[in-house]
Amino acid sequence: MDKDRIAGSAKDIAGKLEGAVGDIAGNAQTQAAGHAREATGTVQNLYGQAKDAARDATDAAASYARDAYENSGDTLRDGSQAVAKKVQDNPLGALLIAGGIGFALAMLMTRPPRRPPPRWRY
């Protein structure tokens, strides 16, 4: 729990008490000060909650990245074994797919021929 949440909750409770004392005493200034302290406490509590949520999200993302990094070798090994099995089961299909991918890459990598600059006639 963040210290801003604790301090905000304390200010919120103190503001409610001060506002109640102002209500009982009939003192508008004490009542207004209590409501202001209560609002300040609420805002500080919400700020602490936001910091906690950001910290939790960061921890979760770091944990996810750590797990992904630690298991990446297993995933790569499993994927390469699955591809090898598919190639062994259907070598002609694998050859056609590889040829199609190679053709598509060759088409993407070639540039169209350069055109000569236009000649102006007068």
Side-chain angles (χ1 to χ4, degrees), residues 50-103:
K51 283 175 44 178
D52 280 344
R55 188 178 306 113
D56 291 344
T58 303
D59 291 344
S63 174
Y64 179 74
R66 190 178 312 110
D67 289 343
Y69 176 73
E70 290 171 356
N71 296 328
S72 63
D74 297 337
T75 306
L76 181 62
R77 190 172 18 267
D78 293 343
S80 64
Q81 288 174 353
V83 169
K85 184 169 177 5
K86 287 288 184 185
V87 169
Q88 287 175 353
D89 291 345
N90 190 359
L92 183 60
L95 184 64
L96 290 174
I97 290 173
I101 291 173
F103 181 75

mmCIF file of all heavy atoms in Angstrom, residues 50-103:
data_model
loop_
_atom_site.group_PDB
_atom_site.id
_atom_site.type_symbol
_atom_site.label_atom_id
_atom_site.label_comp_id
_atom_site.label_asym_id
_atom_site.label_seq_id
_atom_site.Cartn_x
_atom_site.Cartn_y
_atom_site.Cartn_z
ATOM 1 N N ALA A 50 -3.678 5.288 -7.732
ATOM 2 C CA ALA A 50 -3.153 5.291 -9.100
ATOM 3 C C ALA A 50 -1.698 4.823 -9.118
ATOM 4 O O ALA A 50 -1.289 4.064 -10.002
ATOM 5 C CB ALA A 50 -3.269 6.687 -9.709
ATOM 6 N N LYS A 51 -0.909 5.264 -8.132
ATOM 7 C CA LYS A 51 0.481 4.815 -8.055
ATOM 8 C C LYS A 51 0.555 3.316 -7.806
ATOM 9 O O LYS A 51 1.382 2.617 -8.399
ATOM 10 C CB LYS A 51 1.221 5.574 -6.955
ATOM 11 C CG LYS A 51 1.603 6.979 -7.358
ATOM 12 C CD LYS A 51 2.223 7.815 -6.260
ATOM 13 C CE LYS A 51 3.254 7.185 -5.415
ATOM 14 N NZ LYS A 51 3.835 8.088 -4.396
ATOM 15 N N ASP A 52 -0.315 2.804 -6.933
ATOM 16 C CA ASP A 52 -0.354 1.358 -6.686
ATOM 17 C C ASP A 52 -0.712 0.586 -7.951
ATOM 18 O O ASP A 52 -0.115 -0.440 -8.254
ATOM 19 C CB ASP A 52 -1.362 1.030 -5.584
ATOM 20 C CG ASP A 52 -0.809 1.265 -4.190
ATOM 21 O OD1 ASP A 52 0.426 1.392 -4.046
ATOM 22 O OD2 ASP A 52 -1.616 1.329 -3.243
ATOM 23 N N ALA A 53 -1.709 1.102 -8.681
ATOM 24 C CA ALA A 53 -2.125 0.422 -9.912
ATOM 25 C C ALA A 53 -1.000 0.426 -10.946
ATOM 26 O O ALA A 53 -0.755 -0.588 -11.612
ATOM 27 C CB ALA A 53 -3.374 1.084 -10.486
ATOM 28 N N ALA A 54 -0.296 1.548 -11.072
ATOM 29 C CA ALA A 54 0.820 1.622 -12.016
ATOM 30 C C ALA A 54 1.939 0.674 -11.603
ATOM 31 O O ALA A 54 2.534 -0.009 -12.448
ATOM 32 C CB ALA A 54 1.347 3.051 -12.098
ATOM 33 N N ARG A 55 2.221 0.602 -10.313
ATOM 34 C CA ARG A 55 3.260 -0.302 -9.826
ATOM 35 C C ARG A 55 2.876 -1.756 -10.083
ATOM 36 O O ARG A 55 3.694 -2.557 -10.533
ATOM 37 C CB ARG A 55 3.493 -0.082 -8.332
ATOM 38 C CG ARG A 55 4.678 -0.846 -7.781
ATOM 39 C CD ARG A 55 4.936 -0.576 -6.299
ATOM 40 N NE ARG A 55 5.069 0.832 -6.002
ATOM 41 C CZ ARG A 55 4.193 1.544 -5.260
ATOM 42 N NH1 ARG A 55 3.150 0.966 -4.740
ATOM 43 N NH2 ARG A 55 4.392 2.810 -5.049
ATOM 44 N N ASP A 56 1.613 -2.089 -9.836
ATOM 45 C CA ASP A 56 1.151 -3.457 -10.082
ATOM 46 C C ASP A 56 1.229 -3.813 -11.566
ATOM 47 O O ASP A 56 1.630 -4.920 -11.929
ATOM 48 C CB ASP A 56 -0.281 -3.640 -9.578
ATOM 49 C CG ASP A 56 -0.380 -3.599 -8.056
ATOM 50 O OD1 ASP A 56 0.665 -3.734 -7.383
ATOM 51 O OD2 ASP A 56 -1.506 -3.421 -7.553
ATOM 52 N N ALA A 57 0.836 -2.864 -12.430
ATOM 53 C CA ALA A 57 0.894 -3.121 -13.872
ATOM 54 C C ALA A 57 2.344 -3.305 -14.334
ATOM 55 O O ALA A 57 2.637 -4.174 -15.161
ATOM 56 C CB ALA A 57 0.238 -1.978 -14.636
ATOM 57 N N THR A 58 3.242 -2.489 -13.790
ATOM 58 C CA THR A 58 4.652 -2.614 -14.152
ATOM 59 C C THR A 58 5.220 -3.955 -13.697
ATOM 60 O O THR A 58 5.947 -4.618 -14.441
ATOM 61 C CB THR A 58 5.460 -1.471 -13.514
ATOM 62 O OG1 THR A 58 4.911 -0.228 -13.945
ATOM 63 C CG2 THR A 58 6.920 -1.532 -13.906
ATOM 64 N N ASP A 59 4.865 -4.346 -12.473
ATOM 65 C CA ASP A 59 5.338 -5.640 -11.970
ATOM 66 C C ASP A 59 4.801 -6.797 -12.816
ATOM 67 O O ASP A 59 5.522 -7.743 -13.114
ATOM 68 C CB ASP A 59 4.918 -5.830 -10.509
ATOM 69 C CG ASP A 59 5.655 -4.895 -9.564
ATOM 70 O OD1 ASP A 59 6.693 -4.323 -9.980
ATOM 71 O OD2 ASP A 59 5.184 -4.732 -8.417
ATOM 72 N N ALA A 60 3.524 -6.705 -13.200
ATOM 73 C CA ALA A 60 2.934 -7.767 -14.022
ATOM 74 C C ALA A 60 3.611 -7.837 -15.394
ATOM 75 O O ALA A 60 3.898 -8.929 -15.897
ATOM 76 C CB ALA A 60 1.437 -7.543 -14.178
ATOM 77 N N ALA A 61 3.880 -6.668 -15.993
ATOM 78 C CA ALA A 61 4.536 -6.651 -17.307
ATOM 79 C C ALA A 61 5.954 -7.206 -17.213
ATOM 80 O O ALA A 61 6.398 -7.966 -18.083
ATOM 81 C CB ALA A 61 4.559 -5.227 -17.860
ATOM 82 N N ALA A 62 6.668 -6.845 -16.141
ATOM 83 C CA ALA A 62 8.035 -7.360 -15.974
ATOM 84 C C ALA A 62 8.012 -8.873 -15.751
ATOM 85 O O ALA A 62 8.859 -9.594 -16.291
ATOM 86 C CB ALA A 62 8.710 -6.663 -14.802
ATOM 87 N N SER A 63 7.045 -9.346 -14.999
ATOM 88 C CA SER A 63 6.931 -10.783 -14.768
ATOM 89 C C SER A 63 6.610 -11.519 -16.066
ATOM 90 O O SER A 63 7.186 -12.569 -16.352
ATOM 91 C CB SER A 63 5.844 -11.058 -13.733
ATOM 92 O OG SER A 63 5.620 -12.426 -13.591
ATOM 93 N N TYR A 64 5.702 -10.951 -16.863
ATOM 94 C CA TYR A 64 5.353 -11.558 -18.150
ATOM 95 C C TYR A 64 6.566 -11.601 -19.078
ATOM 96 O O TYR A 64 6.828 -12.611 -19.738
ATOM 97 C CB TYR A 64 4.207 -10.783 -18.786
ATOM 98 C CG TYR A 64 3.792 -11.319 -20.124
ATOM 99 C CD1 TYR A 64 3.071 -12.500 -20.229
ATOM 100 C CD2 TYR A 64 4.135 -10.666 -21.298
ATOM 101 C CE1 TYR A 64 2.698 -13.006 -21.457
ATOM 102 C CE2 TYR A 64 3.770 -11.166 -22.531
ATOM 103 C CZ TYR A 64 3.049 -12.332 -22.607
ATOM 104 O OH TYR A 64 2.692 -12.840 -23.821
ATOM 105 N N ALA A 65 7.314 -10.485 -19.120
ATOM 106 C CA ALA A 65 8.499 -10.445 -19.986
ATOM 107 C C ALA A 65 9.555 -11.444 -19.512
ATOM 108 O O ALA A 65 10.197 -12.112 -20.327
ATOM 109 C CB ALA A 65 9.076 -9.034 -19.999
ATOM 110 N N ARG A 66 9.726 -11.557 -18.198
ATOM 111 C CA ARG A 66 10.697 -12.508 -17.652
ATOM 112 C C ARG A 66 10.309 -13.938 -18.015
ATOM 113 O O ARG A 66 11.151 -14.738 -18.433
ATOM 114 C CB ARG A 66 10.784 -12.355 -16.136
ATOM 115 C CG ARG A 66 11.921 -13.121 -15.509
ATOM 116 C CD ARG A 66 12.023 -12.911 -13.992
ATOM 117 N NE ARG A 66 11.958 -11.515 -13.604
ATOM 118 C CZ ARG A 66 10.914 -10.946 -12.959
ATOM 119 N NH1 ARG A 66 9.871 -11.666 -12.638
ATOM 120 N NH2 ARG A 66 10.931 -9.675 -12.644
ATOM 121 N N ASP A 67 9.028 -14.254 -17.875
ATOM 122 C CA ASP A 67 8.563 -15.597 -18.230
ATOM 123 C C ASP A 67 8.745 -15.877 -19.717
ATOM 124 O O ASP A 67 9.147 -16.975 -20.107
ATOM 125 C CB ASP A 67 7.095 -15.774 -17.840
ATOM 126 C CG ASP A 67 6.881 -15.850 -16.334
ATOM 127 O OD1 ASP A 67 7.872 -16.084 -15.603
ATOM 128 O OD2 ASP A 67 5.728 -15.671 -15.899
ATOM 129 N N ALA A 68 8.416 -14.882 -20.539
ATOM 130 C CA ALA A 68 8.569 -15.059 -21.978
ATOM 131 C C ALA A 68 10.041 -15.269 -22.341
ATOM 132 O O ALA A 68 10.369 -16.098 -23.201
ATOM 133 C CB ALA A 68 8.012 -13.854 -22.721
ATOM 134 N N TYR A 69 10.930 -14.540 -21.686
ATOM 135 C CA TYR A 69 12.357 -14.689 -21.962
ATOM 136 C C TYR A 69 12.863 -16.062 -21.531
ATOM 137 O O TYR A 69 13.628 -16.703 -22.246
ATOM 138 C CB TYR A 69 13.152 -13.586 -21.257
ATOM 139 C CG TYR A 69 14.636 -13.715 -21.420
ATOM 140 C CD1 TYR A 69 15.243 -13.416 -22.636
ATOM 141 C CD2 TYR A 69 15.435 -14.144 -20.370
ATOM 142 C CE1 TYR A 69 16.603 -13.542 -22.796
ATOM 143 C CE2 TYR A 69 16.796 -14.274 -20.519
ATOM 144 C CZ TYR A 69 17.384 -13.974 -21.729
ATOM 145 O OH TYR A 69 18.724 -14.101 -21.896
ATOM 146 N N GLU A 70 12.423 -16.498 -20.346
ATOM 147 C CA GLU A 70 12.882 -17.782 -19.838
ATOM 148 C C GLU A 70 12.355 -18.954 -20.658
ATOM 149 O O GLU A 70 13.021 -19.969 -20.795
ATOM 150 C CB GLU A 70 12.465 -17.947 -18.375
ATOM 151 C CG GLU A 70 13.226 -17.032 -17.432
ATOM 152 C CD GLU A 70 12.671 -17.040 -16.019
ATOM 153 O OE1 GLU A 70 11.636 -17.701 -15.790
ATOM 154 O OE2 GLU A 70 13.272 -16.383 -15.163
ATOM 155 N N ASN A 71 11.170 -18.820 -21.226
ATOM 156 C CA ASN A 71 10.559 -19.916 -21.979
ATOM 157 C C ASN A 71 10.738 -19.786 -23.481
ATOM 158 O O ASN A 71 10.189 -20.583 -24.234
ATOM 159 C CB ASN A 71 9.072 -20.017 -21.645
ATOM 160 C CG ASN A 71 8.840 -20.366 -20.193
ATOM 161 O OD1 ASN A 71 9.628 -21.070 -19.594
ATOM 162 N ND2 ASN A 71 7.765 -19.856 -19.622
ATOM 163 N N SER A 72 11.493 -18.773 -23.929
ATOM 164 C CA SER A 72 11.626 -18.563 -25.369
ATOM 165 C C SER A 72 12.376 -19.703 -26.039
ATOM 166 O O SER A 72 12.057 -20.084 -27.160
ATOM 167 C CB SER A 72 12.323 -17.232 -25.645
ATOM 168 O OG SER A 72 13.646 -17.257 -25.126
ATOM 169 N N GLY A 73 13.372 -20.252 -25.389
ATOM 170 C CA GLY A 73 14.122 -21.368 -25.976
ATOM 171 C C GLY A 73 13.251 -22.590 -26.152
ATOM 172 O O GLY A 73 13.328 -23.279 -27.182
ATOM 173 N N ASP A 74 12.401 -22.868 -25.167
ATOM 174 C CA ASP A 74 11.490 -24.011 -25.283
ATOM 175 C C ASP A 74 10.508 -23.810 -26.421
ATOM 176 O O ASP A 74 10.228 -24.733 -27.192
ATOM 177 C CB ASP A 74 10.719 -24.215 -23.975
ATOM 178 C CG ASP A 74 11.640 -24.560 -22.815
ATOM 179 O OD1 ASP A 74 12.754 -25.060 -23.078
ATOM 180 O OD2 ASP A 74 11.242 -24.316 -21.662
ATOM 181 N N THR A 75 9.967 -22.592 -26.532
ATOM 182 C CA THR A 75 8.996 -22.300 -27.578
ATOM 183 C C THR A 75 9.629 -22.421 -28.961
ATOM 184 O O THR A 75 9.031 -23.002 -29.871
ATOM 185 C CB THR A 75 8.426 -20.884 -27.387
ATOM 186 O OG1 THR A 75 7.905 -20.768 -26.066
ATOM 187 C CG2 THR A 75 7.332 -20.588 -28.390
ATOM 188 N N LEU A 76 10.831 -21.885 -29.108
ATOM 189 C CA LEU A 76 11.520 -21.972 -30.393
ATOM 190 C C LEU A 76 11.827 -23.421 -30.749
ATOM 191 O O LEU A 76 11.624 -23.851 -31.885
ATOM 192 C CB LEU A 76 12.811 -21.154 -30.344
ATOM 193 C CG LEU A 76 13.637 -21.116 -31.618
ATOM 194 C CD1 LEU A 76 12.845 -20.467 -32.732
ATOM 195 C CD2 LEU A 76 14.934 -20.380 -31.384
ATOM 196 N N ARG A 77 12.278 -24.188 -29.768
ATOM 197 C CA ARG A 77 12.597 -25.588 -30.003
ATOM 198 C C ARG A 77 11.340 -26.370 -30.392
ATOM 199 O O ARG A 77 11.351 -27.170 -31.319
ATOM 200 C CB ARG A 77 13.241 -26.192 -28.751
ATOM 201 C CG ARG A 77 13.832 -27.550 -28.945
ATOM 202 C CD ARG A 77 14.647 -28.061 -27.758
ATOM 203 N NE ARG A 77 14.462 -27.432 -26.465
ATOM 204 C CZ ARG A 77 15.192 -26.421 -25.974
ATOM 205 N NH1 ARG A 77 16.166 -25.904 -26.699
ATOM 206 N NH2 ARG A 77 14.957 -25.922 -24.777
ATOM 207 N N ASP A 78 10.233 -26.112 -29.684
ATOM 208 C CA ASP A 78 8.977 -26.799 -30.013
ATOM 209 C C ASP A 78 8.492 -26.436 -31.413
ATOM 210 O O ASP A 78 8.024 -27.295 -32.165
ATOM 211 C CB ASP A 78 7.893 -26.456 -28.989
ATOM 212 C CG ASP A 78 8.195 -27.015 -27.601
ATOM 213 O OD1 ASP A 78 9.055 -27.912 -27.500
ATOM 214 O OD2 ASP A 78 7.571 -26.530 -26.640
ATOM 215 N N GLY A 79 8.629 -25.162 -31.772
ATOM 216 C CA GLY A 79 8.200 -24.727 -33.100
ATOM 217 C C GLY A 79 9.034 -25.334 -34.200
ATOM 218 O O GLY A 79 8.507 -25.770 -35.233
ATOM 219 N N SER A 80 10.343 -25.373 -33.995
ATOM 220 C CA SER A 80 11.204 -25.948 -35.035
ATOM 221 C C SER A 80 10.964 -27.460 -35.166
ATOM 222 O O SER A 80 11.022 -28.004 -36.276
ATOM 223 C CB SER A 80 12.671 -25.666 -34.732
ATOM 224 O OG SER A 80 13.067 -26.305 -33.535
ATOM 225 N N GLN A 81 10.678 -28.133 -34.064
ATOM 226 C CA GLN A 81 10.363 -29.556 -34.138
ATOM 227 C C GLN A 81 9.047 -29.783 -34.877
ATOM 228 O O GLN A 81 8.928 -30.729 -35.661
ATOM 229 C CB GLN A 81 10.299 -30.167 -32.734
ATOM 230 C CG GLN A 81 11.652 -30.313 -32.071
ATOM 231 C CD GLN A 81 11.543 -30.780 -30.629
ATOM 232 O OE1 GLN A 81 10.457 -30.881 -30.082
ATOM 233 N NE2 GLN A 81 12.696 -31.054 -30.016
ATOM 234 N N ALA A 82 8.064 -28.904 -34.661
ATOM 235 C CA ALA A 82 6.783 -29.046 -35.352
ATOM 236 C C ALA A 82 6.957 -28.825 -36.854
ATOM 237 O O ALA A 82 6.370 -29.552 -37.672
ATOM 238 C CB ALA A 82 5.770 -28.059 -34.778
ATOM 239 N N VAL A 83 7.769 -27.844 -37.235
ATOM 240 C CA VAL A 83 8.013 -27.594 -38.654
ATOM 241 C C VAL A 83 8.748 -28.777 -39.278
ATOM 242 O O VAL A 83 8.410 -29.219 -40.396
ATOM 243 C CB VAL A 83 8.805 -26.274 -38.836
ATOM 244 C CG1 VAL A 83 9.305 -26.133 -40.260
ATOM 245 C CG2 VAL A 83 7.947 -25.091 -38.461
ATOM 246 N N ALA A 84 9.735 -29.306 -38.572
ATOM 247 C CA ALA A 84 10.482 -30.453 -39.100
ATOM 248 C C ALA A 84 9.565 -31.652 -39.302
ATOM 249 O O ALA A 84 9.681 -32.377 -40.307
ATOM 250 C CB ALA A 84 11.626 -30.813 -38.155
ATOM 251 N N LYS A 85 8.638 -31.870 -38.402
ATOM 252 C CA LYS A 85 7.701 -32.991 -38.534
ATOM 253 C C LYS A 85 6.777 -32.787 -39.737
ATOM 254 O O LYS A 85 6.510 -33.721 -40.495
ATOM 255 C CB LYS A 85 6.876 -33.157 -37.260
ATOM 256 C CG LYS A 85 5.960 -34.364 -37.310
ATOM 257 C CD LYS A 85 5.372 -34.639 -35.959
ATOM 258 C CE LYS A 85 4.393 -35.756 -35.902
ATOM 259 N NZ LYS A 85 4.131 -36.557 -37.031
ATOM 260 N N LYS A 86 6.304 -31.548 -39.925
ATOM 261 C CA LYS A 86 5.436 -31.269 -41.079
ATOM 262 C C LYS A 86 6.193 -31.479 -42.385
ATOM 263 O O LYS A 86 5.638 -31.997 -43.356
ATOM 264 C CB LYS A 86 4.898 -29.829 -41.016
ATOM 265 C CG LYS A 86 3.843 -29.602 -39.987
ATOM 266 C CD LYS A 86 2.549 -30.239 -40.387
ATOM 267 C CE LYS A 86 1.474 -29.915 -39.401
ATOM 268 N NZ LYS A 86 0.234 -30.595 -39.664
ATOM 269 N N VAL A 87 7.447 -31.070 -42.423
ATOM 270 C CA VAL A 87 8.247 -31.243 -43.643
ATOM 271 C C VAL A 87 8.469 -32.726 -43.918
ATOM 272 O O VAL A 87 8.406 -33.169 -45.070
ATOM 273 C CB VAL A 87 9.587 -30.481 -43.516
ATOM 274 C CG1 VAL A 87 10.553 -30.856 -44.636
ATOM 275 C CG2 VAL A 87 9.332 -28.984 -43.533
ATOM 276 N N GLN A 88 8.715 -33.499 -42.873
ATOM 277 C CA GLN A 88 8.899 -34.946 -43.067
ATOM 278 C C GLN A 88 7.611 -35.610 -43.510
ATOM 279 O O GLN A 88 7.639 -36.541 -44.327
ATOM 280 C CB GLN A 88 9.392 -35.591 -41.762
ATOM 281 C CG GLN A 88 10.827 -35.268 -41.438
ATOM 282 C CD GLN A 88 11.243 -35.828 -40.083
ATOM 283 O OE1 GLN A 88 10.417 -36.339 -39.339
ATOM 284 N NE2 GLN A 88 12.530 -35.712 -39.772
ATOM 285 N N ASP A 89 6.470 -35.151 -43.016
ATOM 286 C CA ASP A 89 5.190 -35.741 -43.394
ATOM 287 C C ASP A 89 4.797 -35.393 -44.830
ATOM 288 O O ASP A 89 4.215 -36.208 -45.538
ATOM 289 C CB ASP A 89 4.080 -35.282 -42.440
ATOM 290 C CG ASP A 89 4.243 -35.855 -41.039
ATOM 291 O OD1 ASP A 89 5.027 -36.823 -40.881
ATOM 292 O OD2 ASP A 89 3.583 -35.338 -40.116
ATOM 293 N N ASN A 90 5.099 -34.165 -45.264
ATOM 294 C CA ASN A 90 4.670 -33.720 -46.582
ATOM 295 C C ASN A 90 5.805 -32.928 -47.235
ATOM 296 O O ASN A 90 5.761 -31.694 -47.277
ATOM 297 C CB ASN A 90 3.400 -32.867 -46.448
ATOM 298 C CG ASN A 90 2.770 -32.578 -47.784
ATOM 299 O OD1 ASN A 90 3.270 -32.996 -48.824
ATOM 300 N ND2 ASN A 90 1.676 -31.838 -47.757
ATOM 301 N N PRO A 91 6.811 -33.594 -47.810
ATOM 302 C CA PRO A 91 7.955 -32.859 -48.358
ATOM 303 C C PRO A 91 7.609 -32.056 -49.610
ATOM 304 O O PRO A 91 8.144 -30.965 -49.805
ATOM 305 C CB PRO A 91 8.973 -33.953 -48.663
ATOM 306 C CG PRO A 91 8.210 -35.223 -48.717
ATOM 307 C CD PRO A 91 7.005 -35.033 -47.876
ATOM 308 N N LEU A 92 6.713 -32.554 -50.446
ATOM 309 C CA LEU A 92 6.353 -31.816 -51.660
ATOM 310 C C LEU A 92 5.634 -30.521 -51.318
ATOM 311 O O LEU A 92 5.919 -29.459 -51.889
ATOM 312 C CB LEU A 92 5.486 -32.695 -52.576
ATOM 313 C CG LEU A 92 5.092 -32.061 -53.916
ATOM 314 C CD1 LEU A 92 6.347 -31.729 -54.721
ATOM 315 C CD2 LEU A 92 4.179 -32.962 -54.689
ATOM 316 N N GLY A 93 4.700 -30.587 -50.406
ATOM 317 C CA GLY A 93 3.987 -29.370 -49.984
ATOM 318 C C GLY A 93 4.928 -28.357 -49.366
ATOM 319 O O GLY A 93 4.821 -27.149 -49.609
ATOM 320 N N ALA A 94 5.875 -28.823 -48.547
ATOM 321 C CA ALA A 94 6.848 -27.922 -47.937
ATOM 322 C C ALA A 94 7.721 -27.266 -48.999
ATOM 323 O O ALA A 94 8.034 -26.076 -48.911
ATOM 324 C CB ALA A 94 7.715 -28.691 -46.939
ATOM 325 N N LEU A 95 8.097 -28.025 -50.028
ATOM 326 C CA LEU A 95 8.908 -27.487 -51.107
ATOM 327 C C LEU A 95 8.142 -26.416 -51.882
ATOM 328 O O LEU A 95 8.696 -25.361 -52.226
ATOM 329 C CB LEU A 95 9.357 -28.614 -52.042
ATOM 330 C CG LEU A 95 10.293 -28.231 -53.170
ATOM 331 C CD1 LEU A 95 11.614 -27.732 -52.601
ATOM 332 C CD2 LEU A 95 10.522 -29.410 -54.080
ATOM 333 N N LEU A 96 6.872 -26.686 -52.165
ATOM 334 C CA LEU A 96 6.052 -25.697 -52.878
ATOM 335 C C LEU A 96 5.863 -24.427 -52.048
ATOM 336 O O LEU A 96 5.910 -23.309 -52.579
ATOM 337 C CB LEU A 96 4.704 -26.300 -53.253
ATOM 338 C CG LEU A 96 4.737 -27.375 -54.342
ATOM 339 C CD1 LEU A 96 3.365 -27.999 -54.517
ATOM 340 C CD2 LEU A 96 5.230 -26.772 -55.646
ATOM 341 N N ILE A 97 5.634 -24.584 -50.756
ATOM 342 C CA ILE A 97 5.466 -23.409 -49.896
ATOM 343 C C ILE A 97 6.761 -22.598 -49.847
ATOM 344 O O ILE A 97 6.749 -21.365 -49.944
ATOM 345 C CB ILE A 97 5.011 -23.836 -48.485
ATOM 346 C CG1 ILE A 97 3.571 -24.339 -48.545
ATOM 347 C CG2 ILE A 97 5.125 -22.696 -47.488
ATOM 348 C CD1 ILE A 97 3.070 -24.948 -47.256
ATOM 349 N N ALA A 98 7.899 -23.266 -49.688
ATOM 350 C CA ALA A 98 9.178 -22.566 -49.644
ATOM 351 C C ALA A 98 9.444 -21.846 -50.961
ATOM 352 O O ALA A 98 9.937 -20.711 -50.980
ATOM 353 C CB ALA A 98 10.308 -23.544 -49.341
ATOM 354 N N GLY A 99 9.126 -22.498 -52.078
ATOM 355 C CA GLY A 99 9.296 -21.853 -53.381
ATOM 356 C C GLY A 99 8.398 -20.633 -53.528
ATOM 357 O O GLY A 99 8.808 -19.603 -54.055
ATOM 358 N N GLY A 100 7.154 -20.737 -53.058
ATOM 359 C CA GLY A 100 6.237 -19.596 -53.129
ATOM 360 C C GLY A 100 6.715 -18.432 -52.281
ATOM 361 O O GLY A 100 6.643 -17.264 -52.700
ATOM 362 N N ILE A 101 7.215 -18.730 -51.092
ATOM 363 C CA ILE A 101 7.734 -17.663 -50.227
ATOM 364 C C ILE A 101 8.959 -17.023 -50.872
ATOM 365 O O ILE A 101 9.104 -15.787 -50.874
ATOM 366 C CB ILE A 101 8.054 -18.227 -48.824
ATOM 367 C CG1 ILE A 101 6.758 -18.591 -48.103
ATOM 368 C CG2 ILE A 101 8.862 -17.229 -48.006
ATOM 369 C CD1 ILE A 101 6.961 -19.303 -46.792
ATOM 370 N N GLY A 102 9.834 -17.829 -51.460
ATOM 371 C CA GLY A 102 11.008 -17.286 -52.137
ATOM 372 C C GLY A 102 10.630 -16.413 -53.314
ATOM 373 O O GLY A 102 11.213 -15.360 -53.528
ATOM 374 N N PHE A 103 9.642 -16.847 -54.106
ATOM 375 C CA PHE A 103 9.183 -16.048 -55.249
ATOM 376 C C PHE A 103 8.597 -14.724 -54.776
ATOM 377 O O PHE A 103 8.879 -13.670 -55.361
ATOM 378 C CB PHE A 103 8.147 -16.842 -56.047
ATOM 379 C CG PHE A 103 7.637 -16.109 -57.247
ATOM 380 C CD1 PHE A 103 8.422 -15.989 -58.380
ATOM 381 C CD2 PHE A 103 6.370 -15.543 -57.241
ATOM 382 C CE1 PHE A 103 7.952 -15.303 -59.492
ATOM 383 C CE2 PHE A 103 5.894 -14.860 -58.339
ATOM 384 C CZ PHE A 103 6.687 -14.734 -59.478
#
